[in-house]
């Protein structure tokens, strides 16, 4: 077993189970060392607007390039990072990186948003918004190029203080999204009161829509509800043309999923989706 083989040889953890078998305290230490050694990186996955055909936003997804392992996916370390509190430092790194990237894209005339996943533990920090604003100011990132993804369950529990701060960020142009919608049990009357621009429909609601009439009915109802409340719908986890066909009929236009593009590094992302906005190019040429 990898854990018993010591640290000298290449350990290959490819899934959450392998990492879960590792001592949590050890993983926690490794995460902190990894942060010091700058072992994390971001990949970007586009949200495509099928009306314009272009990307409207890129979701930033963290990966851990541990020197002795394969690339470790967030499912294998984000839960431990949340439990231990390391997520606060990791989240700071992500915020800083995203703000830096957004400023660079803006200078290159690319104005699509970059979405950041925010976990419960992060949002609960009293100085979360201060640190986010610090990252924005440090890099002079345009607030309108940032989007915060907050999971459905977390969104339902937000205290007045957090709701106010989110509202203030939105007034500054930051976009707020509910992530993984349809996996929790939302208080629907509360949903319409949240300071939220868009809702990301979880892939579990999409998986069977090409083959099951029931799945189609549920997905269609959820999409109709969100749109009826005046929020934008983004559908996650779109893996096939058949699913796209159903979603188009339901009235969806914004898609994220392997069928459109997999998450990829910044350079590859920009090569494919980094279309410059006409008239806004400053640093080009
Ligand atoms: P999420 O925010 O719901 O992100 C979408 C996940 O679905 C990503 O997995 C993405 O690669 C995957 N995905 C995209 N399209 C498809 C598809 O068509 N089919 C399937 N099966 N999957 C698809 P990833 O990158 O492994 O991230 C997993 C989760 O880890 C994220 O779920 C998010 O909750 C968390 N996470 C990722 N990056 C961060 C981060 O920087 N901070 C925090 N706090 N959490 C993060
Ligand atoms: Mg997300
Ligand atoms: Mg999601
Ligand atoms: Mg999520």
């Amino acid at each position: 077993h990898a854990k018993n083989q010591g640290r000298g040889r290449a350990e290959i953890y490819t899934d959450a189970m392998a990492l879960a078998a590792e001592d949590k305290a050890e993983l926690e230490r490794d995460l902190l060392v990894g942060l010091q050694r700058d072992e994390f990186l971001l990949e970007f996955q586009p949200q495509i607007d099928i009306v314009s055909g272009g990307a409207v936003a890129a979701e930033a997804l963290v990966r851990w390039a541990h020197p002795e392992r394969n690339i470790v996916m967030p499912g294998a370390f984000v839960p431990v990072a949340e439990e231990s509190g390391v997520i606060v430092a990791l989240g700071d790194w992500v915020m800083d990186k995203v703000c830096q990237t957004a400023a660079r894209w803006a200078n290159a005339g690319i104005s699509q948003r970059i979405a950041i996943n925010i976990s419960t533990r992060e949002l609960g920090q009293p100085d979360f918004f201060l640190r986010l604003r610090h990252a924005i100011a440090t890099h002079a990132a345009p607030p309108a190029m940032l989007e915060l993804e907050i999971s459905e369950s977390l969104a339902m529990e937000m205290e007045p203080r957090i709701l106010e701060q989110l509202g203030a960020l939105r007034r500054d142009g930051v976009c707020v999204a509910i992530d993984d919608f349809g996996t929790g049990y939302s208080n629907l009357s509360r949903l319409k009161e949240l300071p939220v621009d868009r809702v990301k429909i979880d892939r579990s609601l999409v998986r069977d829509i090409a083959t099951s009439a029931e799945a189609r009915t549920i997905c269609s109802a959820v999409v109709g509800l969100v749109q009826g409340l005046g929020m934008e719908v983004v559908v996650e986890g779109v893996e096939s043309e058949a699913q796209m066909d159903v979603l188009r009929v339901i009235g969806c236009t914004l898609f994220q999923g392997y069928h459109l593009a997999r998450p990829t590094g910044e350079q590859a992302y920009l090569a494919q989706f980094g279309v410059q906005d006409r008239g806004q190019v400053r640093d080009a040429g």
Side-chain angles (χ1 to χ4, degrees):
H1 194 275
K3 189 190 167 188
N4 300 321
Q5 290 171 357
R7 272 296 142 84
R9 69 179 72 192
E11 294 167 274
I12 299 173
Y13 291 102
T14 47
D15 60 22
M17 272 215 321
L19 272 185
E22 187 178 14
D23 185 51
K24 272 186 188 157
E26 194 182 337
L27 176 55
E28 192 185 323
R29 265 197 315 279
D30 280 1
L31 283 166
L32 286 169
V33 171
L35 274 170
Q36 280 163 11
R37 294 187 184 160
D38 207 22
E39 290 172 359
F40 293 88
L41 55 97
L42 294 179
E43 286 193 326
F44 300 89
Q45 187 181 30
Q47 293 173 13
I48 305 285
D49 177 356
I50 54 163
V51 176
S52 73
V56 293
E59 180 172 8
L61 296 159
V62 71
R63 278 89 180 84
W64 184 9
H66 191 289
E68 294 164 9
R69 297 172 185 166
N70 282 345
I71 297 280
V72 186
M73 300 301 277
F77 63 88
V78 164
V80 174
E82 280 192 46
E83 215 178 298
S84 64
V86 175
I87 194 73
V88 175
L90 182 63
D92 274 347
W93 181 87
V94 172
M95 282 195 295
D96 190 73
K97 210 54 170 189
V98 165
C99 288
Q100 187 184 55
T101 306
R104 194 167 50 239
W105 289 11
N107 280 325
I110 296 159
S111 66
Q112 58 185 277
R113 286 189 305 274
I114 306 180
I116 312 175
N117 287 285
I118 307 293
S119 74
T120 311
R121 190 78 179 249
E122 286 176 83
L123 203 61
Q125 297 291 306
D127 60 349
F128 170 79
F129 290 94
L130 214 67
R131 286 183 289 111
L132 174 58
R133 286 183 180 280
H134 177 76
I136 293 171
T138 299
H139 299 286
M145 280 183 64
L146 300 177
E147 178 166 336
L148 303 183
E149 292 194 4
I150 294 164
S151 73
E152 178 186 12
S153 49
L154 176 52
M156 290 301 144
E157 291 164 7
M158 289 190 294
E159 309 158 13
R161 176 186 69 83
I162 293 176
L163 294 174
E164 273 167 36
Q165 298 271 12
L166 274 182
L169 274 180
R170 282 180 78 211
R171 287 192 291 279
D172 290 345
V174 175
C175 182
V176 178
I178 296 184
D179 202 0
D180 306 332
F181 189 78
T183 54
Y185 297 90
S186 282
N187 176 338
L188 295 178
S189 55
R190 182 161 166 77
L191 182 63
K192 70 176 193 303
E193 278 146 26
L194 293 175
V196 160
D197 303 281
R198 53 206 325 240
V199 170
K200 299 185 76 177
I201 306 291
D202 192 71
R203 67 168 174 271
S204 58
L205 287 184
V206 176
R207 195 179 44 224
D208 301 326
I209 54 171
T211 49
S212 153
E214 264 175 36
R216 256 194 312 275
T217 302
I218 293 168
C219 185
S220 170
V222 173
V223 167
L225 171 87
V226 173
Q227 289 175 339
L229 292 175
M231 298 170 188
E232 202 169 69
V233 168
V234 183
V235 186
E236 286 195 291
V238 180
E239 295 183 348
S240 72
E241 192 60 36
Q243 289 172 333
M244 289 266 290
D245 288 340
V246 174
L247 290 163
R248 270 190 286 255
V249 170
I250 288 175
C252 303
T253 55
L254 296 168
F255 299 102
Q256 180 178 347
Y258 294 163
H259 181 64
L260 298 127
R262 291 193 175 249
T264 171
E266 183 184 358
Q267 291 319 311
Y269 180 88
L270 288 180
Q272 203 176 351
F273 302 104
V275 179
Q276 292 171 336
D277 310 300
R278 258 168 292 150
Q280 285 188 21
V281 183
R282 271 182 266 158
D283 285 359

